[in-house]
Amino acid sequence: MATELSTGTSLQATDPEIARLVEEEERRQRETIRLIPSENYASKAVIEATGTVLTNKYSEGYPGRRYYEGQQVIDPIETLAIERAERLFGVDHANVQPYSGSVANLAVYLAFCEPGDTVMGMALPMGGHLTHGWSVSITGKWLRAVQYGVSRETGTVDFDEVRRLAREERPKLIFCGGTAVPRIIEFDRFAEIAEEVGAILVADIAHIAGLVAGGAHPSPTPHAPVISTTTHKTLRGPRGAMLMCREEHAAAIDKAVFPGLQGGPHDHITAAIAVALEEASRPEFAEYAHRIVDNSRTLADELIRRGFDLVSGGTDNHLILIDLTSKEVAGKVASQALDRAGLETNYNTVPFDPRKPFDPSGLRIGTPSVTTRGMGRDEMLTIADLMDRVIEAARAGDDAALDRIRDESRELATAFPAPGIDA
Ligand code: DSN
């Protein structure tokens, strides 16, 4: 049955080629079970805000202090976004202008460091982020980055190593958080170490911002003077980022974002961030955040029952990191087979991975998107079953089986409308 697609008639008339591709992506998103833990479905309201005339405006500066005229509407929009962020996360100050999480993190370095200064973060293959000082990133090239990891036994942050490195290296900044961390981030323990060595603790909550907002993960606010986040992952906003901090750091953070790193903010995105923050302040969002974690635990338990080996032995949040070594399938082969079968994941390194980053042992999955679609316990059990069969088919090189599973996953996906697409 044909489904009505949301691409506007103007786009279709002006650029049918792009319109067709957007429609194709819309259909792909509708029919696929999305398990990439950093992705989500923004609401129709958020998507609408991004597609407005606000994209036409320049507004370098901050509300009340701009370098362009005509800010009668932009100022209240940005002020609303700031106030909503401050209220939702209980922080003194928010800056909603960073274009992305990477730029937000760069602004933190610019605010507090000189080139060559020592900083500390979790190593990328251990679950950290490129911008936490990994060697190929500017943050690993222009700063002296010391990297901590997880314990080989538990797969969780090795706080003895964090403390030892911090005492030896005396970093200016310590980043906590990451992109493949399936457990609670213990902000209090990081804060204790940062305080002992005189470092500023930066909590990168990009992955878990929605869980924090909804009370499904402890808040970094009492412990971290600086908080960095993207807005489009569990927080379910548009693609963008925010920096939040204590009052004493507000001027340095603002100056680092603009004029330090960026020019004009993307006002259409600022408006959409404001909408997402309003949505995230509602009781139903808190329920959503808790359901993400419930679903993640159900999926993890079922995968373990089926013989999958999970880093750290399970999950406390939205994310599951699978070490496929025991299944005798490489992460990339598995993720490509899953994609063919209609389950979207990404291959990922696992801690102490003997394989290369472009062909690692792991698979990273998560439940924010499927939870947004309204899936629950029964569907998590079905997804574990589909994944299990896909991995088996991938090992056997059975493409026909993958294509049969594709029909099942399409049926499951389309039974749960995705906000912003089907609404
Ligand atoms: N690319 C993001 C993720 O997938 O986790 C991190 O920046």
Side-chain angles (χ1 to χ4, degrees):
M1 189 182 76
T3 322
E4 198 184 325
L5 298 165
S6 65
T7 314
T9 49
S10 303
L11 180 57
Q12 278 161 357
T14 306
D15 193 336
E17 209 174 349
I18 286 292
R20 185 186 60 74
L21 289 168
V22 172
E23 287 176 1
E24 209 171 295
E25 173 62 11
E26 198 169 302
R27 185 174 294 114
R28 196 192 64 78
Q29 290 193 17
R30 175 185 294 115
E31 295 179 355
T32 302
I33 296 172
R34 170 184 285 176
L35 294 168
I36 294 176
S38 48
E39 294 184 357
N40 212 330
Y41 302 97
S43 70
K44 196 85 179 165
V46 165
I47 290 174
E48 266 178 29
T50 65
T52 59
V53 294
L54 301 175
T55 197
N56 298 338
K57 191 71 194 108
Y58 252 121
S59 55
E60 287 181 12
Y62 290 102
R65 293 174 287 134
R66 306 280 190 186
Y67 290 81
Y68 293 75
E69 295 308 322
Q71 307 299 337
Q72 296 84 347
V73 177
I74 299 301
D75 273 5
I77 287 173
E78 187 168 335
T79 302
L80 267 177
I82 291 168
E83 288 173 354
R84 288 175 184 176
E86 290 171 353
R87 214 169 26 245
L88 188 62
F89 290 95
V91 292
D92 295 341
H93 180 72
N95 183 310
V96 297
Q97 294 193 4
Y99 301 144
S100 74
S102 295
V103 178
N105 287 348
L106 283 185
V108 175
Y109 292 109
L110 185 61
F112 301 110
C113 298
E114 296 295 328
D117 276 352
T118 301
V119 296
M120 209 168 124
M122 193 184 218
L124 180 68
M126 293 284 174
H129 188 253
L130 271 171
T131 58
H132 295 183
W134 190 235
S135 56
V136 299
S137 149
I138 187 171
T139 63
K141 288 181 191 291
W142 289 13
L143 294 145
R144 190 176 156 272
V146 179
Q147 304 270 269
Y148 60 84
V150 298
S151 136
R152 205 180 265 277
E153 287 73 44
T154 62
T156 58
V157 171
D158 185 343
F159 279 98
D160 291 339
E161 185 189 26
V162 176
R163 181 171 286 105
R164 180 182 59 73
L165 283 173
R167 282 177 178 165
E168 282 171 13
E169 307 288 350
R170 298 271 153 180
K172 269 197 170 166
L173 299 179
I174 299 179
F175 268 84
C176 63
T179 61
V181 180
R183 293 297 183 176
I184 295 286
I185 299 168
E186 296 173 87
F187 301 117
D188 50 346
R189 297 183 74 182
F190 278 107
E192 201 183 292
I193 295 170
E195 194 175 340
E196 186 190 323
V197 303
I200 294 175
L201 179 64
V202 186
D204 185 339
I205 62 166
H207 263 259
I208 55 167
L211 303 185
V212 171
H217 187 288
S219 168
T221 303
H223 309 289
V226 180
I227 301 167
S228 166
T229 187
T230 51
T231 46
H232 48 273
K233 298 186 174 93
T234 48
L235 195 56
R236 225 162 55 178
R239 297 198 74 101
M242 306 192 297
L243 284 170
M244 297 175 278
C245 63
R246 294 185 187 153
E247 191 53 46
E248 64 194 283
H249 300 309
I253 287 288
D254 281 355
K255 206 168 136 204
V257 173
F258 172 84
L261 274 176
Q262 297 188 170
H266 295 171
D267 298 316
H268 55 307
I269 297 298
T270 306
I273 289 174
V275 174
L277 291 168
E278 159 58 28
E279 290 176 346
S281 70
R282 297 178 182 167
E284 55 266 33
F285 191 90
E287 283 165 29
Y288 163 66
H290 285 90
R291 277 204 313 276
I292 291 176
V293 178
D294 289 347
N295 278 343
S296 186
R297 289 207 173 112
T298 303
L299 184 53
D301 289 347
E302 182 62 11
L303 288 170
I304 291 169
R305 201 185 67 74
R306 290 169 177 270
F308 284 84
D309 185 6
L310 307 192
V311 171
S312 83
T315 180
D316 296 326
N317 57 24
H318 64 299
L319 184 149
I320 298 166
L321 188 57
I322 306 172
D323 183 346
L324 288 167
T325 310
S326 64
K327 294 283 182 185
E328 296 170 0
V329 181
K332 195 170 186 172
V333 173
S335 64
Q336 287 173 346
L338 285 159
D339 195 43
R340 180 168 179 151
L343 297 124
E344 218 180 332
T345 64
N346 69 275
Y347 57 88
N348 215 95
T349 51
V350 294
F352 310 103
D353 203 327
R355 301 175 67 94
K356 297 261 178 284
F358 203 59
D359 185 21
S361 306
L363 195 64
R364 192 182 68 149
I365 62 172
T367 52
S369 296
V370 289
T371 307
T372 293
R373 293 181 84 144
M375 294 187 194
R377 183 179 168 76
D378 288 350
E379 290 73 36
M380 296 309 111
L381 300 179
T382 304
I383 288 171
D385 175 58
L386 296 174
M387 287 185 65
D388 199 5
R389 284 156 52 205
V390 169
I391 301 301
E392 191 49 48
R395 189 169 49 189
D398 186 351
D399 286 350
L402 298 179
D403 293 339
R404 284 195 299 276
I405 297 169
R406 181 56 183 123
D407 293 336
E408 291 179 56
S409 56
R410 185 185 294 109
E411 196 176 324
L412 176 60
T414 49
F416 290 83
I421 298 177
D422 298 280

